[in-house]
Amino acid sequence: MGRPKRLYPLGKYRLRTPKESDKNKAYPIELEYTWNRQIIRKTTNVFVKETDWNQNGNQGRGEIRVSYGSEYKRLNQLLLARVDRIDSMLAEYNEKHPNQITADIISGFLADKPLTRPDQGKDFVEFTLERLYSEYSRNKIGRSRYENGKSGMNIFQTFLRSTKQGTYRADSIYVGDITPELLDAYILWRREIKQNSDATINHSLTPILKACAYACEMGMLEPSVNARIQDMRIITKVSLSEEESEFDGKSLNKEQLLALLEYYKTCPEPRRREFLEIFFFAFHACGLRVVDVMTLQWGHINFEKKELRKIMIKTNKRHVIPLTEQAISILRQWQEKREGCKYVFNLVKEELDLDDAEALYKARNNATKCINQSLVVVGEQIGLPFNLSMHVARHSFAVFALNKGLSMTVVSRLLGHGSTDVTEKVYARFLPETLSSEVARLKDVIQMLTDYTANGSFGDLAKNVQYLDYEDYALSLIHI
């Protein structure tokens, strides 16, 4: 009847020697499998001379002789461990997929890239770098973003190696082995070991998350796993410390603002004049943040109601801002020269996708850098003691508003802060003057109460007390 065919092959080692070998030369040891008359080989990093190799040793699997030297035992153990591991994987595969072993399957196991996996044994770092290069070659990302991504993946490999979370190698992992738990550990490692900020960590996660999304599309990663991974970005919450760090004390007083207006009237450079118009608009639009200025669309403006309605980029909340006559005047000028355009100011491309966080981040940085470089020159020419920037418009509005007597609640709402506590913390230094003016407003009320104490009657107290409408007052805040 003959011997029954094995259901899966067993490996053995052979010394890869030429027909005419040199006895003094070392040759590589190869791991060999034979299946359906096909021979599948994989070389090792072990080299020995013919005299130091025993093909019949280790029950025909081959072994290194004692004559090799003191390392022969250790190397034999490594070789045996490897062939046993691959044999066991083939046995396991045969149990799950009876009679489906092929030469390609064996080659995959030998290459540590088993074709049986949905990801076909694709290395995740290699896969991510391929996606990065693809985007860079198509001008989807710039050189700096590409280089930063490569650097980030080197750090990711360091994380795998130092935490011993690599799979088939110490610093390598298959695409299909990426999990939310692994990325949680990576975020924690970057925080505690690398001492990275949340913003830095988010930037390092960007190429990883993009690679996972693409792997999911290719069927290399489970959709449920990818969905959890895409939610791994750290959400930066508005905090007092963050808002406080934004304010560096740089704001314009009335004289400096007048000097800036005079410079604008005589500025011979058209583009610089436009930057100054954008600065003045941000100031008159209740300190609108630069990212919201650059993404302002004509659909956000209601000239009839004299208001601006927009979802703020930073807070992702809809915000209503009353527009002063000065702000409307600037908008009318730009309406004439930007007729038919999507965005109010010429700061971003028409095709900018506001849902693309990376594209928006890049566009904001480019626009801000361009404007601020021009504003710094203006500030120097009018003698400012600090660098003029777009953010100075926001701080200047807040300081003017508080010193003109607007309540902290109204200023907080106009600035779009998360809470009044944030506004108070940021602009606490301006409160004494404001509080004094607020108390002064009570002078008439206090006098009426004094009169009541004297004559025992409220008299016309109710109709004489004047209640300030802070919203209307905000519209006429600055008239210089």
Side-chain angles (χ1 to χ4, degrees), residues 118 278 399:
I278 294 170
V399 174

Side-chain angles (χ1 to χ4, degrees), residues 39-52:
I39 299 175
I40 306 100
R41 297 188 178 96
K42 175 67 174 179
T43 189
T44 68
N45 291 323
V46 181
F47 291 77
V48 300
K49 297 177 182 178
E50 277 191 280
T51 54
D52 296 328

Side-chain angles (χ1 to χ4, degrees), residues 28-60:
I29 297 174
E30 291 185 339
L31 178 55
E32 178 182 288
Y33 282 84
T34 303
W35 189 248
N36 291 337
R37 298 183 180 181
Q38 285 185 272
I39 299 175
I40 306 100
R41 297 188 178 96
K42 175 67 174 179
T43 189
T44 68
N45 291 323
V46 181
F47 291 77
V48 300
K49 297 177 182 178
E50 277 191 280
T51 54
D52 296 328
W53 178 251
N54 178 14
Q55 185 61 59
N56 296 320
N58 193 20
Q59 297 180 348

Side-chain angles (χ1 to χ4, degrees), residues 238-264:
V238 176
S239 65
L240 296 181
S241 60
E242 288 175 355
E243 290 285 353
E244 184 178 12
S245 65
E246 291 181 3
F247 186 49
D248 49 14
K250 298 175 182 178
S251 66
L252 300 174
N253 57 33
K254 187 173 182 179
E255 290 72 24
Q256 291 168 336
L257 197 54
L258 281 169
L260 194 60
L261 282 168
E262 288 299 320
Y263 180 93
Y264 166 74

